[in-house]
């Protein structure tokens, strides 16, 4: 147990071996005494630190020493963010996984994040070597009500789920709101050749929507039971910049005629 005068203390509500700051952060070297052991919390932990990250699993990846944001979420996932790249993490580990916090041979703090081995493959490992900590805190976010889609967007999803072949011939629905570790995919489908297709639906198709679908595809293509997964970006209107970005990433674009889809527009009654 740390002394009462220490700027760090154990949070009795966390159920984990980590510490929370009680005063404005200052730089802390990796030799600062800290508890070690399995990190397993109902809280979200945010750490800003200078760190090196190495991933080993179905492939290998290396992030050299730099200042980054480390996020340990209550759902059991671990994410590594930089200041760039919008909301997309540089690397992450999907739940369920465990985080063992200890000390490397050179005395620096080391986190070893390990996923659970499954029938799909062996466990993956994310090794985070921390040189300096700038901030470390934990927060209880509570229950999230989830994304509330507006009426048109929600109705578009329902209509396309009933008529997926309007996006491309031969497309069939597997599931609406297909769950992933970073949020649900609007529609998971299969094309005429039996390949997986992820569909993201927007009322107005902009770059943010393309980035969202890209992140889903990167995660889904890690699953050997799904890969290869291609994407369709569907919207009533797609901005030119969003279309260029989507096509550059191999994502198909589909403009939806909402009135025709819901049966209010009969093409045979059009003058033009």
């Amino acid at each position: 147990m740390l002394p009462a005068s220490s700027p760090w203390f154990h949070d009795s509500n966390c159920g984990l071996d980590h510490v929370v700051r009680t005063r404005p952060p200052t730089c802390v070297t990796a030799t600062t005494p800290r508890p070690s052991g399995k990190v397993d919390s109902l809280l979200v932990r945010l750490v800003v630190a200078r760190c090196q990250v190495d991933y080993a699993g179905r492939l290998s990846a290396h992030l050299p020493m730099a200042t980054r944001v480390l996020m340990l979420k209550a759902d059991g996932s671990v994410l590594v963010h930089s200041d760039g790249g919008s909301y997309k993490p540089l690397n992450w580990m999907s739940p369920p996984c465990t985080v063992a916090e200890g000390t490397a041979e050179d005395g620096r703090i080391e986190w070893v994040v390990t996923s659970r081995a499954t029938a799909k493959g062996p466990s993956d490992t994310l090794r985070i070597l921390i040189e300096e900590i700038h901030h470390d805190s934990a927060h209880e976010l509570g229950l999230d009500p989830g994304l509330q889609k507006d009426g048109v967007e929600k109705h578009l999803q329902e209509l396309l789920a009933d008529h997926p072949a309007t996006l491309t011939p031969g497309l069939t629905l597997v599931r609406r709101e297909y769950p992933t570790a970073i949020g649900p995919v609007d529609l998971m489908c299969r094309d005429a050749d039996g390949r997986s297709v992820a569909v993201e639906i927007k009322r107005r198709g902009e770059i943010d929507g393309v980035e969202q679908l890209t992140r889903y595809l990167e995660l889904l293509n890690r699953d050997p039971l799904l890969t290869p997964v291609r994407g369709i970006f569907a919207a009533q209107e797609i901005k030119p910049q969003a279309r260029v970005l989507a096509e550059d990433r191999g994502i198909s674009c589909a403009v939806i005629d909402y009135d025709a889809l819901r049966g209010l527009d009969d093409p045979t009654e059009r003058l033009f």
Side-chain angles (χ1 to χ4, degrees):
M1 177 64 73
L2 297 169
S5 59
S6 172
W8 307 88
F9 71 93
H10 278 273
D11 188 333
S12 60
N13 295 321
C14 292
L16 52 77
D17 286 332
H18 85 273
V19 287
V20 182
R21 287 191 177 273
T22 59
R23 69 184 185 193
T26 56
C27 291
V28 180
T29 64
T31 57
T32 301
R34 294 170 54 87
S36 63
K38 180 181 177 182
V39 178
D40 185 12
S41 175
L42 295 177
L43 305 182
V44 172
R45 183 180 178 188
L46 298 174
V47 178
V48 180
R50 182 171 171 78
C51 62
Q52 170 184 304
V53 182
D54 291 280
Y55 169 80
R58 289 179 290 274
L59 51 83
S60 297
H62 172 73
L63 294 173
M65 194 67 70
T67 300
R68 302 184 177 93
V69 176
L70 309 176
M71 182 183 298
L72 288 77
K73 295 178 64 178
D75 64 2
S77 57
V78 177
L79 302 95
V80 180
H81 284 272
S82 69
D83 193 37
S86 186
Y87 55 80
K88 181 180 177 181
L90 296 171
N91 213 325
W92 70 89
M93 193 76 82
S94 302
C97 62
T98 59
V99 184
E101 184 174 3
T103 305
E105 292 181 359
D106 59 5
R108 290 183 290 183
I109 297 169
E110 181 183 56
W111 292 2
V112 179
V113 187
T114 307
S115 68
R116 183 183 302 170
T118 66
K120 299 177 184 178
S123 61
D124 297 334
T125 301
L126 195 67
R127 180 176 177 266
I128 304 174
L129 189 64
I130 298 177
E131 185 174 82
E132 188 176 51
I133 295 174
H134 301 284
H135 174 85
D136 188 348
S137 63
H139 310 271
E140 183 175 1
L141 302 186
L143 294 176
D144 189 280
L147 178 66
Q148 303 296 318
K149 294 181 179 289
D150 64 43
V152 172
E153 193 169 305
K154 181 179 179 181
H155 196 208
L156 280 173
Q157 185 186 117
E158 294 172 350
L159 291 169
L160 289 172
D162 290 337
H163 307 284
T166 58
L167 295 171
T168 186
L171 199 67
T172 57
L173 179 69
V174 174
R175 178 172 173 174
R176 281 183 61 191
E177 300 288 340
Y178 186 88
T180 77
I182 54 175
V185 178
D186 286 337
L187 303 180
M188 179 59 74
C189 301
R190 290 199 181 278
D191 62 17
D193 297 321
R195 293 172 296 189
S196 299
V197 180
V199 181
E200 182 62 28
I201 302 166
K202 300 293 183 185
R203 190 156 56 94
R204 288 187 295 271
E206 299 179 349
I207 286 177
D208 284 351
V210 178
E211 292 285 4
Q212 182 181 0
L213 180 54
T214 299
R215 187 167 63 152
Y216 289 145
L217 290 172
E218 288 183 355
L219 183 61
L220 292 168
N221 274 300
R222 292 185 181 185
D223 188 336
L225 297 181
L226 293 176
T227 190
V229 185
R230 67 182 181 92
I232 296 179
F233 187 52
Q236 285 183 274
E237 173 192 2
I238 299 178
K239 299 292 185 181
Q241 299 92 333
R243 182 181 290 275
V244 170
L245 180 61
E247 292 176 351
D248 182 67
R249 294 180 177 179
I251 296 172
S252 302
C253 292
V255 176
I256 307 166
D257 187 334
Y258 180 50
D259 287 338
L261 193 60
R262 63 180 178 160
L264 296 182
D265 179 31
D266 186 349
T268 63
E269 296 181 358
R270 295 178 183 174
L271 296 177
F272 304 98

